[in-house]
């Protein structure tokens, strides 16, 4: 089994604010495993720091289907960057894995890219709703098992 891990959980300073979400449990899990770090937002061309973003609509699956958008706090539509980042992350993970090898993605909770099962609602008020981030939704469609740091 290999892990695709949100780079911010491994201590990379790729969070929108320029910081990270270092998680000791994620680091420990990866110490004895094959893993690849991903940051879909950087892979999609977003910079550090950047304005926070949230999905307006019904989550990442709706973004993939063209029925929802990713909007930053300044009101800019950055949906294409999130779609590009999700595609790039999937490509990296698939190139890293051996054919037939089980892949588990350990992704940052509530992120508009990586959130699994719960994401922010698009109002920038801290309210959450059921749904996946864009990358998590794409990974789910491809049969990749999803976890967040909260599952560890």
């Amino acid at each position: 089994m290999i892990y695709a891990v949100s780079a911010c959980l491994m201590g990379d300073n790729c969070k929108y604010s320029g910081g990270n979400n270092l998680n000791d449990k994620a680091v420990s899990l990866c110490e004895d495993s094959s893993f690849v770090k991903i940051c879909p937002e950087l892979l999609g061309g977003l910079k550090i720091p950047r304005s926070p973003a949230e999905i307006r609509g019904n989550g990442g699956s709706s973004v993939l289907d063209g029925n929802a958008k990713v909007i930053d706090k300044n009101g800019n539509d950055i949906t294409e960057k999130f779609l590009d980042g999700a595609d790039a992350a999937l490509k990296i993970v698939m190139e890293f894995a051996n054919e037939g090898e089980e892949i588990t993605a350990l992704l940052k909770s509530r992120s508009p890219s990586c959130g699994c099962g719960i994401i922010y609602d698009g109002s920038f008020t801290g309210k959450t709703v059921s749904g996946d981030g864009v990358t998590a939704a794409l990974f789910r469609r491809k049969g990749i098992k999803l976890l967040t740091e909260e599952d560890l």
Side-chain angles (χ1 to χ4, degrees):
M1 170 171 350
I2 68 149
Y3 290 95
V5 184
S6 293
C8 64
L9 294 176
M10 300 299 287
D12 289 13
N13 292 326
C14 55
K15 188 175 167 178
Y16 74 90
S17 63
N20 64 64
N21 296 301
L22 179 62
N23 183 283
D24 292 336
K25 289 180 181 178
V27 172
S28 292
L29 178 72
C30 292
E31 282 178 350
D32 297 323
S33 304
S34 294
F35 71 94
V36 60
K37 296 188 288 185
I38 55 167
C39 179
E41 293 174 25
L42 291 183
L43 291 168
L46 294 170
K47 306 295 182 208
I48 304 168
R50 57 190 172 275
S51 183
E54 295 185 7
I55 297 173
R56 289 207 183 136
N58 292 323
S61 187
S62 291
V63 173
L64 294 173
D65 294 338
N67 298 319
K69 300 212 174 280
V70 183
I71 306 296
D72 73 15
K73 197 167 185 178
N74 298 321
N76 299 306
D77 181 347
I78 53 174
T79 304
E80 288 303 316
K81 294 199 179 284
F82 274 72
L83 290 169
D84 290 348
D87 288 339
L90 179 63
K91 182 178 179 186
I92 288 168
V93 171
M94 298 312 288
E95 288 176 353
F96 184 77
N98 294 317
E99 189 172 331
E101 191 170 24
E102 183 180 344
I103 304 167
T104 298
L106 175 57
L107 304 173
K108 176 66 187 112
S109 63
R110 293 180 287 285
S111 159
S113 291
C114 296
C116 306
I118 299 173
I119 56 172
Y120 291 109
D121 73 349
S123 67
F124 296 95
T125 61
K127 183 179 175 192
T128 58
V129 294
S130 294
D132 292 329
V134 178
T135 299
L138 181 61
F139 283 11
R140 189 180 299 279
R141 285 186 179 181
K142 298 298 182 181
I144 296 172
K145 182 180 176 183
L146 303 177
L147 300 171
T148 73
E149 76 280 10
E150 295 173 354
D151 297 319
L152 299 178

